[in-house]
Amino acid sequence: MKVRFALTAVALLLAQQSYAKDQQPSLMQAEAVATTTSPANASQAYQALDAQAVAALRSALQGDSSKLTQEQVDKAKQSKTQADYAWLKASGYDFQTKANQQAGIELLSGFSALPQSVLDENLKTVTAINLNATQGARNQAVADADGISYLYFLADSLGPRLGKAFITAYDKGELSKAAALLKASEVSTSAAKKHFNYLRPFLIKGNSIHLVPDEVILKDGKPYGADGGSFPSGHTNTGYTDALLLAEMIPERFDAIVERGARYGYSRIVLGVHYPLDIMGSRMLTQRNVAHYLNDPKYRALFIEARDQLRAALEKECGASLAQCAQNDRAADPYRSPEMKTFYRYTMSYGLPQQKVANTKVKVPQGAEVLLEFALPNLSAAQRRALMVQTAAPAGYPLSGSTPDQAFWQRLNLPAAYAQAKGHH
């Protein structure tokens, strides 16, 4: 009996340490899910929420002007009613942008060592997603892009009931502290873009990318483009930061809102202006940056003040508790469908080649468990760290680099960790 137990233990250990070929979700599966989280969703309630968000965005962009222009989109900023800049400035908080930017460059250093075969697949994948995207996905991608300076895009991850309350409270200035803090917490990717100097996919010689015309916000029919370096994605950094911080404030919708961050990144590929690697890199940066901020007592105090204001405002506008407002009819709430977990898992690697490496357990950096603290307050720090280890994606995918921190932030699957703790997958 003892001999058999010893042999079994050795076999398990070898299996854990050996290369594990991962069965990734397919691009076809991801495309189907992405379409349900666009204006093409069949639910009238979801369509109404999407239309409300787009209308509110266009109104905010246009302001008092007689016509909405590209210049207004390019120079857009939340109004002083929407965002309490004075409150944030009075706090004197130092976001340490340059230090965080440098930390981000180091975190993504594995990009420079990627083989050409991975970069080739990177271009093939963006081309496939871009050319096969449905009209609904394209319309969503344009709205996501033009709405980068605002928070309207987050509404659909809240579901029709809470999403409507969010838009109303946002425009009334009732969650102004959160609006200011979320935007200020976006660590610019400009330094990393200059460092890695990666050409955008639609600029590669001989590419077949289709640039998507704007038929949603500006409605001028002109193709959406972008300039500057491609890696990592600035828009994804923005969308994922906003989503992750809001998810921390509304744990009743934690996984759904985090998945909206991944969906926002997917939109950049639909437009053909970013590669999968750009999106994956920005997810890594955002997770690291948000954890860094939430572990700072001074930032945390601002976060809690903003969160409390936001939660009170949403309950007021919704007319019920957040737990009640967070519930919706399944058909009208695609971000709560089980398929979203599959979509999120796809966006962690986008089907790029998995290298043959030992499938070792991830090592959780000090303080990283804070990302599950507000969502799972009844668990200890050790339990949250264990969840992160148990639900991490397999090793060997691009950008997992050569350090424990690089591997962790690339393999961290927050929605899966949350779902496992809640007992639903």
Side-chain angles (χ1 to χ4, degrees):
M1 191 64 144
K2 290 182 179 179
V3 173
R4 184 181 300 172
F5 175 80
L7 288 173
T8 303
V10 170
L12 286 172
L13 180 62
L14 290 174
Q16 183 187 61
Q17 292 179 341
S18 67
Y19 165 68
K21 181 64 178 176
D22 179 36
Q23 296 299 315
Q24 296 186 88
S26 69
L27 171 56
M28 189 176 296
Q29 286 176 296
E31 288 175 332
V33 176
T35 298
T36 68
T37 57
S38 78
N41 184 294
S43 164
Q44 290 185 343
Y46 187 85
Q47 289 179 5
L49 176 62
D50 181 80
Q52 183 184 3
V54 168
L57 172 59
R58 294 191 82 249
S59 177
L61 287 167
Q62 187 168 338
D64 297 328
S65 301
S66 58
K67 183 181 179 182
L68 180 57
T69 65
Q70 182 66 58
E71 184 179 14
Q72 287 173 306
V73 172
D74 294 340
K75 295 182 177 180
K77 183 181 180 182
Q78 296 178 111
S79 71
K80 290 182 179 179
T81 297
Q82 290 172 322
D84 193 344
Y85 301 112
W87 165 76
L88 190 57
K89 185 177 181 180
S91 74
Y93 184 74
D94 179 6
F95 285 87
Q96 300 178 318
T97 301
K98 288 187 177 180
N100 284 315
Q101 285 180 319
Q102 189 55 45
I105 290 172
E106 293 173 8
L107 180 62
L108 299 183
S109 62
F111 174 83
S112 302
L114 292 173
Q116 187 60 44
S117 59
V118 171
L119 299 181
D120 290 343
E121 286 299 318
N122 201 30
L123 179 57
K124 287 181 183 178
T125 304
V126 60
T127 303
I129 292 174
N130 167 261
L131 294 180
N132 294 328
T134 62
Q135 191 58 47
R138 287 174 176 170
N139 288 346
Q140 184 66 59
V142 170
D144 280 354
D146 287 346
I148 185 174
S149 299
Y150 299 92
L151 300 177
Y152 297 112
F153 76 93
L154 292 167
D156 54 6
S157 68
L158 301 177
R161 191 174 178 187
L162 196 55
K164 182 178 180 180
F166 179 84
I167 294 172
T168 302
Y170 182 38
D171 281 343
K172 285 183 177 181
E174 293 175 341
L175 39 92
S176 57
K177 292 177 180 178
L181 186 63
L182 265 59
K183 287 297 173 187
S185 303
E186 301 162 2
V187 179
S188 171
T189 59
S190 59
K193 285 177 179 289
K194 291 179 182 177
H195 176 84
F196 294 107
N197 193 29
Y198 190 39
L199 201 63
R200 289 182 185 267
F202 70 92
L203 298 177
I204 296 293
K205 186 177 180 180
N207 80 84
S208 56
I209 296 292
H210 165 74
L211 290 180
V212 179
D214 186 338
E215 299 173 359
V216 184
I217 305 300
L218 286 168
K219 301 182 180 181
D220 57 3
K222 293 181 180 179
Y224 179 88
D227 54 19
S230 196
F231 181 84
S233 166
H235 274 73
T236 302
N237 178 69
T238 289
Y240 208 100
T241 299
D242 295 348
L244 185 49
L245 282 168
L246 186 68
E248 305 290 354
M249 294 182 177
I250 311 177
E252 293 86 352
R253 300 284 303 185
F254 181 82
D255 49 347
I257 306 174
V258 174
E259 288 157 1
R260 182 61 176 97
R263 178 65 182 82
Y264 189 95
Y266 183 86
S267 282
R268 304 304 290 162
I269 302 177
V270 168
L271 292 174
V273 297
H274 275 294
Y275 304 88
L277 286 173
D278 305 343
I279 311 309
M280 293 159 59
S282 287
R283 173 179 58 83
M284 292 169 64
L285 291 181
T286 299
Q287 292 169 158
R288 180 262 167 206
N289 291 337
V290 171
H292 174 78
Y293 283 138
L294 288 176
N295 279 305
D296 179 343
K298 291 183 179 178
Y299 181 94
R300 195 181 180 94
L302 294 172
F303 171 86
I304 291 174
E305 188 175 344
R307 178 201 64 182
D308 292 350
Q309 183 200 48
L310 175 138
R311 291 179 64 83
L314 291 181
E315 289 194 338
K316 170 178 170 285
E317 293 297 344
C318 184
S321 71
L322 284 186
Q324 291 173 299
C325 296
Q327 300 300 317
N328 299 278
D329 176 68
R330 177 57 64 87
D333 197 4
Y335 280 96
R336 266 288 155 86
S337 72
E339 289 76 23
M340 279 308 301
K341 300 291 180 293
T342 302
F343 174 83
Y344 190 90
R345 177 63 187 82
Y346 175 77
T347 65
M348 291 183 68
S349 61
Y350 280 95
L352 297 180
Q354 182 189 17
Q355 303 301 306
K356 292 187 176 181
V357 297
N359 192 37
T360 54
K361 286 186 177 181
V362 294
K363 183 178 179 181
V364 183
Q366 184 67 35
E369 68 276 4
V370 74
L371 294 179
L372 291 174
E373 179 182 341
F374 295 98
L376 303 170
N378 295 326
L379 298 186
S380 68
Q383 288 172 319
R384 295 194 297 273
R385 293 166 75 87
L387 270 176
M388 289 176 159
V389 173
Q390 293 162 14
T391 56
Y397 287 106
L399 301 183
S400 54
S402 58
T403 71
D405 277 11
Q406 289 171 336
F408 174 79
W409 293 118
Q410 200 282 331
R411 297 171 61 186
L412 175 62
N413 189 335
L414 287 170
Y418 177 84
Q420 181 161 310
K422 291 293 186 178
H424 56 84
H425 304 278

